[in-house]
Amino acid sequence: MMIEVLKSKIHCARVTEANLNYMGSITIDEDLMDAANMIAGEKVHIVDNNNGERFETYVIKGERGSGMICLNGAAARKVQPDDIVIIMSYAIMDFEEAKQFKPIVIFPDPTTNSVVK
């Protein structure tokens, strides 16, 4: 049996921008992507802690070290700059493998979105 489990999570990142005029996606600082083991084009779920919105989109690389968390296109209507979001990606794996799997969870600096080690 195959099941879908949490693979990666960026917990409580601050939205830096909402760009309605860009074709869909979430732009994430490449440092955060690396730390969370996420790649460009990967499907992610977004939860906005400020307003309760939940939606999905895909990742595009943002400038490394910029702290960027930018919702683009229609998703820009669901957030405001300075909102706090959780970004989650999932993987499909065998049930037995999933029992042993440990997701990567990172907690960026709440002001700069930089990776906290």
Side-chain angles (χ1 to χ4, degrees):
M1 169 179 24
M2 304 296 280
I3 63 170
E4 190 170 14
V5 297
L6 179 69
K7 176 185 80 69
S8 308
K9 178 165 73 165
I10 301 173
H11 190 79
C12 292
R14 185 180 52 80
V15 174
T16 58
E17 188 177 344
N19 184 350
L20 185 60
N21 297 313
Y22 188 89
M23 274 199 286
S25 67
I26 182 171
T27 305
I28 302 174
D29 177 327
E30 195 170 0
D31 284 341
L32 291 172
M33 289 175 60
D34 289 348
N37 196 31
M38 292 179 179
I39 61 170
E42 185 170 2
K43 178 180 172 179
V44 290
H45 286 98
I46 313 293
V47 178
D48 187 316
N49 285 354
N50 294 79
N51 63 22
E53 287 283 356
R54 298 178 70 95
F55 53 95
E56 56 188 39
T57 188
Y58 62 93
V59 175
I60 62 174
K61 287 182 189 178
E63 182 181 344
R64 189 175 290 284
S66 66
M68 177 177 277
I69 299 290
C70 178
L71 279 301
N72 301 301
R77 293 205 183 273
K78 296 185 173 283
V79 301
Q80 294 293 316
D82 292 323
D83 281 1
I84 301 300
V85 294
I86 300 169
I87 305 162
M88 298 165 286
S89 67
Y90 299 86
I92 297 173
M93 60 184 71
D94 176 78
F95 184 77
E96 292 303 319
E97 178 186 6
K99 287 180 181 180
Q100 305 302 318
F101 182 77
K102 301 289 186 230
I104 294 172
V105 179
I106 65 165
F107 301 86
D109 179 277
T111 304
T112 65
N113 282 339
S114 59
V115 175
V116 176
K117 300 203 182 209

